[in-house]
């Protein structure tokens, strides 16, 4: 019985034309990617964290390998646009007990053929703190890490959508990709 249910699931995915997003991102970016994350003078620790997260996404989520700039199929440039913390919840005495971290990443990629695409992504992460306290460096660092990973997931989604729309060959004349 387990075999039949497993076989049915395989047939459903194969029959409906399901393809993982990695296939679409590879069509756009290729197999070898060079990552360049601009180090922010205001926040160098987080810049290094974001660089590591982007490198991890290239290997794990794009299914590609890291390369030097000259031999890469695509050069991926990421810059931290901004980071902010906004209170989202208060206790009965009016003290902040929850924040939302928001990270804006500006991304640009250039393929070997000279095609260039730029876009901005925003990642968010909600986290609690103790009432009547400030955000510790550990909480701040962790919140920016998770918000950055959310923004990187949005980068992956946008590139996969471009790959699906264009088949990886040409960029549409004017495309608007809204992910909400």
């Amino acid at each position: 019985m387990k075999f039949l249910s497993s076989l049915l699931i395989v047939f459903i995915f194969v029959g409906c034309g399901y393809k993982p997003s990695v296939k679409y991102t590879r069509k756009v970016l290729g197999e070898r990617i060079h990552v360049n994350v601009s180090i922010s003078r205001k926040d160098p620790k987080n810049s290094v964290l974001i660089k590591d997260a982007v490198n991890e996404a290239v290997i794990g989520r794009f299914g590609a390998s890291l390369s030097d700039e000259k031999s890469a199929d695509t050069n991926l440039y990421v810059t931290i646009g901004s980071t902010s913390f906004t209170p989202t919840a208060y206790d009965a005495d009016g003290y902040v007990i929850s924040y939302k971290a928001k990270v804006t990443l500006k991304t640009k990629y250039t393929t070997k053929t000279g095609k260039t695409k730029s876009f901005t992504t925003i990642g968010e992460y909600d986290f609690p703190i103790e009432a009547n306290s400030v955000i510790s460096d550990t909480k701040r660092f962790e919140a920016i890490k998770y918000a950055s990973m959310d923004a990187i997931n949005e980068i992956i989604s946008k590139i996969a959508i471009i790959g699906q729309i264009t088949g990886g060959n040409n960029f549409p004349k004017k495309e608007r990709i809204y992910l909400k």
Side-chain angles (χ1 to χ4, degrees), residues 5 12-13 83-84 90 92-93 110 147 151 153-154 162 167:
S5 62
I12 288 172
F13 280 126
T83 57
S84 64
Y90 300 88
D93 298 322
T110 306
N153 286 337
E154 192 174 328
I162 291 168

Side-chain angles (χ1 to χ4, degrees), residues 111-129:
T111 64
K112 212 175 213 177
T113 60
K115 297 175 185 174
T116 300
K117 178 73 180 139
S118 301
F119 47 84
T120 301
T121 58
I122 297 171
E124 298 176 340
Y125 178 70
D126 294 323
F127 63 100
I129 64 165

